[in-house]
Amino acid sequence: MSITQTGDKKKILKILFIFLELSTTKLAKTLNVSNSVISKHISGEKNYCPCDIYLIEQIFNIKVLEYRKICR
């Protein structure tokens, strides 16, 4: 992922957090991971697919049933 794409992803994630009234702590508790996992995902340092899937589910009010296959 290029620097531009990482910056765009950070902006989109921040907008989603605001729209959904989420905090990194709240999302970390929901996904049963540490705050650092979410922070590293947002910064682009590491990719944590369940975070993206959770946000997609919340935005579109859907349930992704087989996300484990997507995250491999």
Side-chain angles (χ1 to χ4, degrees), residues 1 3-4 9-10 19-20 25 29 31 39 44 46 53 62-67:
M1 189 177 287
I3 294 172
T4 306
K9 182 178 179 179
K10 286 166 77 171
F19 181 77
L20 294 171
T25 304
K29 285 181 182 178
L31 297 176
S39 296
K46 290 195 173 188
I53 291 173
I62 61 170
K63 185 68 179 160
V64 178
L65 298 176
E66 298 190 25
Y67 70 88

Side-chain angles (χ1 to χ4, degrees), residues 1-39:
M1 189 177 287
S2 73
I3 294 172
T4 306
Q5 290 172 330
T6 302
D8 292 343
K9 182 178 179 179
K10 286 166 77 171
K11 290 176 189 174
I12 291 169
L13 286 173
K14 287 183 181 190
I15 291 168
L16 291 177
F17 272 75
I18 292 168
F19 181 77
L20 294 171
E21 297 177 355
L22 271 177
S23 66
T24 54
T25 304
K26 194 173 181 182
L27 182 57
K29 285 181 182 178
T30 301
L31 297 176
N32 283 333
V33 295
S34 68
N35 285 350
S36 66
V37 171
I38 303 301
S39 296

